Amino acid sequence: MAKPTFSLCVYCGSKPGDDSSFAESAVQVGQWIAQHGGQLVYGGGRNGLMGVVADATLAAGGQVVGIIPQALVEKEWAHQGCTELHVVENMHDRKRMMAERADAFIALPGGIGTFEEFYEVWTWRQLGYHNKPIGLLNLNGYYDPMLLFLNNVVKHRFMDTWQMDLIQSDTDANRLLPGLIQAAGLPTPFLSQSI
Ligand code: AMP
């Protein structure tokens, strides 16, 4: 199997949300990863947007690494079609392995599990535990209220602007994805290929 050009960790909802355009964008993200020779790293489930992004990556010929805690194998309906499916002991092992396997992270719309994972890699980055790019795909303004609140955190000086600047937020996956891969410092000749 060819070595992937990059590994992108995607955090997103284990539910599909109320708007079919979320799933359409999740498909685009999966296709983009596959078409650029990349590898998806994600939570290993079939439910919601998580399943959609994995299916889209696989259908477009890409590689998928799923990492799921034993206790969630049935609840999140572990994706047996993954190129690699790792069943780990607990959530901490899952999140550590996802972070280790990724060159960059991106959060799509999701719920508290998605937020928790996104905030964890962000806090790890501000502490210097890693130096990997972190993106927020703000589809249809889904994350507008969160970004508003985060700017309020800066205004009240519980966070500095440099901390905000550690995340890249964009409404357009076609801008955000190459930006993240470039920021990861990988060789990127594959980015100039038209898809
Ligand atoms: P959600 O965004 O809530 O639909 O969850 C998305 C993913 O995050 C699912 O795979 C959940 O298993 C995972 N998740 C839920 N709770 C946590 C947590 N406390 N820490 C890390 N991941 C979680």
Side-chain angles (χ1 to χ4, degrees):
M1 192 164 292
K3 188 176 179 305
T5 50
F6 62 87
S7 293
L8 180 66
C9 178
V10 176
Y11 303 127
C12 59
S14 56
K15 294 184 168 67
D18 68 333
D19 181 343
S20 59
S21 70
F22 294 147
E24 284 159 23
S25 296
V27 167
Q28 283 171 2
V29 169
Q31 288 175 341
W32 191 93
I33 293 169
Q35 286 163 357
H36 292 88
Q39 180 180 63
L40 168 70
V41 176
Y42 87 117
R46 291 198 86 130
N47 292 341
L49 294 189
M50 293 172 66
V52 172
V53 73
D55 284 341
T57 308
L58 291 165
Q63 298 177 33
V64 174
V65 178
I67 305 165
I68 191 163
Q70 179 65 53
L72 294 184
V73 163
E74 283 184 26
K75 193 170 169 221
E76 291 192 349
W77 200 19
H79 199 313
Q80 302 299 339
C82 289
T83 319
E84 293 174 38
L85 180 68
H86 300 272
V87 179
V88 296
E89 207 169 309
N90 55 49
M91 194 62 91
H92 294 296
D93 289 345
R94 174 203 242 180
K95 290 191 294 180
R96 192 185 60 245
M97 195 170 174
M98 286 169 76
E100 282 170 0
R101 294 287 306 254
D103 297 310
F105 309 96
I106 186 172
L108 274 56
I112 54 175
T114 302
F115 307 155
E116 203 268 351
E117 292 163 323
F118 170 78
Y119 280 104
E120 183 171 74
V121 290
W122 188 9
T123 53
W124 285 353
R125 171 100 193 244
Q126 73 163 356
L127 294 170
Y129 289 179
H130 72 84
N131 196 29
K132 299 175 182 180
I134 303 167
L136 186 68
L137 185 54
N138 185 15
L139 296 171
N140 294 349
Y142 179 74
Y143 282 115
D144 282 353
M146 187 172 95
L147 291 167
L148 202 61
F149 173 72
L150 288 168
N151 283 316
N152 195 47
V153 177
V154 173
K155 184 180 148 209
H156 287 283
R157 298 190 196 160
F158 284 104
M159 179 164 65
D160 295 322
T161 46
W162 71 263
Q163 292 166 286
M164 265 311 265
D165 292 343
L166 295 177
I167 59 168
Q168 298 181 36
S169 169
D170 206 309
T171 54
D172 184 349
N174 285 314
R175 263 195 313 256
L176 184 57
L177 290 163
L180 289 171
I181 302 309
Q182 268 155 353
L186 301 166
T188 53
F190 56 87
L191 286 180
S192 52
Q193 289 160 16
S194 59
I195 56 168

